[in-house]
Amino acid sequence: MKRVLITGAAGFLGSHLCDRFIKEGYYVIAMDNLITGDLKNIEHLSTNQNFEFINHDVSEHIEIEGELDYILHFASPASPIDYVKIPIHTLKVSSLGTHNLLGLAKAKEARMLIASTSEVYGDPLVHPQTEEYYGNVNPIGPRGVYDEAKRFQEAITMAYHTYHGVETRIVRIFNTYGPRMRLNDGRVLPAFIGQALRGEDLTVFGEGNQTRSFCYVDDLIEGIYHLLLSDYELPVNIGNPDEITILDFAKEIIKLTGTTQKIIYKDLPVNDPMQRQPNIDKAKELLGWEPKVNRADGLKITYEYFKSLNQEELNKVEHKNFDEYVK
Ligand code: UDP
């Protein structure tokens, strides 16, 4: 039985990865320090004999008993509002955490896949973004702690690959959505759906003409699984190229939820990328992968998930506005 270590396992993507690897017949070691993750995302796996959970911060030295075939590093805050709240943790998890995990991968002769991000492209001047584009990142802006840590993460991963011969994979993840996103993490989809469910107006930042391209979580996990098992060690974009403005997205959410609330406009946060769309030619060619779930279907499933949360969870809004983030 192959053994895989998944960090950030109690988070949105990490928990879906745990499900996938259990389904594929792996032994899964799930690691999380629960800063932004939630054990209820993996509760259903807790009695599975091929699953174990370790509460640990990957920025500290890591010890794992026994063999490891694969390591997937998915621990990190992933919302701009979190970067402002916990900037040092955000920096450490992708820098020190990645260093620790690469050391573990080297010692165990495991293959390691890191979760990189479209944020390495910053506020991109090339559109759509290909893997060859180097990006346009402000190192000292509010997103710098995430963007630069992820860029460092790619650099140290390639260094371990070329210098130590560690088998590595790098996925650059574009905006992804689906069940188990944190309702109160401040990101646009949970923000809009949460507002609709609580009967609040939907907050569009700026004029809403900035774009994003949203990928349903099952498609993303499928792409990551194929990348891990491929023999390609350079970065690969995984995302859905179906691009939409944030204003149109707000209108879609209004239609989906049937809310009678209106759209209100707030300041555009500093360094908010104006456009984002993955070029996925590489993933198509190398992995034979492309997204299958269209936004209408994915949003319906996600809305049902958020509707199923209880009132207490729904009202637990930490970030009613982004004033701090905008400064
Ligand atoms: N956004 C918005 N209203 C909100 C939350 C976010 O208009 O209540 C915008 C945000 O300014 C950005 C886009 O939605 O342009 C996506 O933001 P998100 O935080 O989801 O992730 P990002 O792609 O910026 O990392």
Side-chain angles (χ1 to χ4, degrees), residues 215-216 219-220 239-242 280 284 289-294:
C215 182
Y216 186 64
D219 282 334
L220 184 93
N240 189 326
D242 188 3
I280 57 165
K284 279 186 187 165
W289 173 89
E290 61 184 319
K292 295 206 162 53
V293 182
N294 67 39

Side-chain angles (χ1 to χ4, degrees), residues 163-221:
Y163 187 72
H164 286 309
V166 173
E167 283 191 30
T168 53
R169 305 287 179 267
I170 301 175
V171 57
R172 290 189 181 149
I173 298 170
F174 284 66
N175 293 66
T176 303
Y177 69 97
R180 302 185 194 154
M181 287 188 97
R182 229 168 74 221
L183 185 65
N184 60 10
D185 82 351
R187 279 188 285 181
V188 68
L189 182 140
F192 285 170
I193 292 187
Q195 287 160 345
L197 287 172
R198 288 189 302 271
E200 297 167 1
D201 292 334
L202 274 65
T203 53
V204 164
F205 297 159
E207 291 169 18
N209 51 13
Q210 69 274 37
T211 68
R212 294 294 184 272
S213 309
F214 296 96
C215 182
Y216 186 64
V217 62
D218 288 358
D219 282 334
L220 184 93
I221 300 296

Side-chain angles (χ1 to χ4, degrees), residues 12-301:
F12 167 45
L13 298 181
S15 66
H16 284 280
L17 284 168
C18 288
D19 285 340
R20 176 65 185 254
F21 280 88
I22 287 288
K23 204 171 111 204
E24 299 284 349
Y26 289 74
Y27 184 87
V28 172
I29 302 166
M31 186 171 279
D32 206 300
N33 67 351
L34 304 176
I35 284 198
T36 55
D38 191 332
L39 278 181
K40 81 174 187 326
N41 290 333
I42 45 173
E43 210 169 26
H44 59 287
L45 297 173
S46 60
T47 53
N48 191 307
Q49 60 183 10
N50 296 330
F51 181 84
E52 70 178 275
F53 175 73
I54 302 174
N55 186 332
H56 183 74
D57 179 351
V58 295
S59 308
E60 307 289 337
H61 181 75
I62 305 164
E63 294 275 349
I64 299 285
E65 274 178 33
E67 293 183 2
L68 272 183
D69 297 285
Y70 300 116
I71 299 173
L72 288 94
H73 185 21
F74 277 71
S76 175
S79 150
I81 200 77
D82 283 340
Y83 315 152
V84 176
K85 271 178 65 189
I86 42 173
I88 314 289
H89 283 96
T90 304
L91 277 161
K92 282 168 79 175
V93 71
S94 291
S95 53
L96 304 182
T98 304
H99 187 207
N100 288 336
L101 288 162
L102 283 164
L104 184 68
K106 179 167 157 263
K108 302 279 186 187
E109 296 182 3
R111 179 179 294 180
M112 174 149 150
L113 181 145
I114 57 155
S116 189
T117 166
S118 54
E119 284 284 321
V120 300
Y121 303 123
D123 188 3
L125 306 176
V126 165
H127 192 75
Q129 292 79 56
T130 60
E131 288 86 350
E132 284 69 37
Y133 178 49
Y134 295 160
N136 176 37
V137 172
N138 174 5
I140 56 163
R143 289 169 182 256
V145 292
Y146 181 72
D147 299 7
E148 295 296 1
K150 289 292 187 180
R151 289 169 67 95
F152 172 85
Q153 180 183 47
E154 288 198 8
I156 193 170
T157 298
M158 283 314 293
Y160 265 70
H161 173 69
T162 50
Y163 187 72
H164 286 309
V166 173
E167 283 191 30
T168 53
R169 305 287 179 267
I170 301 175
V171 57
R172 290 189 181 149
I173 298 170
F174 284 66
N175 293 66
T176 303
Y177 69 97
R180 302 185 194 154
M181 287 188 97
R182 229 168 74 221
L183 185 65
N184 60 10
D185 82 351
R187 279 188 285 181
V188 68
L189 182 140
F192 285 170
I193 292 187
Q195 287 160 345
L197 287 172
R198 288 189 302 271
E200 297 167 1
D201 292 334
L202 274 65
T203 53
V204 164
F205 297 159
E207 291 169 18
N209 51 13
Q210 69 274 37
T211 68
R212 294 294 184 272
S213 309
F214 296 96
C215 182
Y216 186 64
V217 62
D218 288 358
D219 282 334
L220 184 93
I221 300 296
E222 179 74 9
I224 290 168
Y225 188 73
H226 280 93
L227 176 61
L228 177 71
L229 300 183
S230 77
D231 58 7
Y232 191 73
E233 71 274 348
L234 297 179
V236 178
N237 290 340
I238 299 281
N240 189 326
D242 188 3
E243 187 183 12
I244 184 173
T245 67
I246 293 302
L247 182 58
D248 284 343
F249 190 60
K251 290 177 184 163
E252 279 192 4
I253 301 291
I254 287 177
K255 210 166 150 211
L256 171 77
T257 58
T259 177
T260 52
Q261 300 298 131
K262 56 183 194 307
I263 290 170
I264 55 171
Y265 295 88
K266 299 228 169 188
D267 289 346
L268 189 67
V270 173
N271 296 148
D272 198 297
M274 279 317 290
Q275 50 182 6
R276 187 182 284 157
Q277 183 191 35
N279 174 312
I280 57 165
D281 290 352
K282 244 184 200 125
K284 279 186 187 165
E285 192 183 316
L286 294 165
L287 314 175
W289 173 89
E290 61 184 319
K292 295 206 162 53
V293 182
N294 67 39
R295 201 167 51 244
D297 292 339
L299 284 181
K300 261 186 230 147
I301 303 168

